Amino acid sequence: MRKRTLECFLMVFDYLGNTGLVCLTGFVILQVVLRNFRIANFPWMDEAARLAHVVIIFTVTPLLFHADGHITAEVLRPASKSVQKLLKLTSTTASTIFCFLFFLSGANLISRLWNVPLAALRIPILFLYLAPLMGMLISSALISRKLFERS
């Protein structure tokens, strides 16, 4: 049941990430064309592009964690297997703690500012922070699952 729910979230995140990429690309190209021909400058396009960028980052990150496609750095390459296992366990634990703290601080921020609108789009700031919070929640669930699978 949990695995099916997680797969459903990841499928939605894949769709949102691809949609965000298409929207961001379209907004940037449209902004460049409009500014080069001095037709107009729409401030709402900047905010919509920023929103699409945030959606891309925080929806694709859980997908990369799920597929083990995130960037890893080996600090101690010649280290023994036990040291490498300890480093992976430490990094996974630190990532899980970071995701939970990010989620809690973001939830606290939204509870204070949930009805403050974005300047040009006139939508609540909640929509800007919804993707990062959901992305961090799913990322922390994926990282925690990997942590418990390794132990």
Side-chain angles (χ1 to χ4, degrees), residues 24-44:
L24 179 65
T25 304
F27 285 136
V28 169
I29 290 172
L30 193 57
Q31 283 176 333
V32 169
V33 168
L34 291 176
R35 286 181 184 161
N36 281 339
F37 292 114
R38 307 213 190 287
I39 297 172
N41 184 12
F42 298 110
W44 63 268

Side-chain angles (χ1 to χ4, degrees), residues 19-21 23-24 27 47-57:
T19 304
L21 183 61
C23 289
L24 179 65
F27 285 136
E47 284 190 2
R50 185 176 344 141
L51 179 63
H53 185 241
V54 167
V55 166
I56 291 169
I57 291 171

Side-chain angles (χ1 to χ4, degrees), residues 63-150:
L63 293 171
L64 291 174
F65 275 126
H66 180 67
D68 277 333
H70 55 286
I71 298 172
T72 58
E74 293 185 21
V75 179
L76 301 173
R77 176 163 251 183
S80 66
K81 294 278 187 194
S82 60
V83 172
Q84 287 178 355
K85 190 174 185 178
L86 180 65
L87 285 174
K88 283 184 180 180
L89 182 67
T90 305
S91 112
T92 305
T93 305
S95 297
T96 304
I97 292 169
F98 172 77
C99 287
F100 281 125
L101 290 177
F102 185 94
F103 182 76
L104 291 176
S105 64
N108 186 24
L109 178 70
I110 285 181
S111 70
R112 295 176 187 199
L113 301 174
W114 70 275
N115 60 353
V116 175
L118 291 169
L121 288 177
R122 300 285 183 220
I123 61 172
I125 203 165
L126 170 69
F127 289 106
L128 184 63
Y129 288 104
L130 194 59
L133 292 178
M134 290 303 296
M136 280 297 180
L137 186 64
I138 298 298
S139 291
S140 61
L142 288 168
I143 295 169
S144 298
R145 188 179 79 182
K146 287 187 180 198
L147 177 67
F148 291 123
E149 285 176 357
R150 287 185 185 146

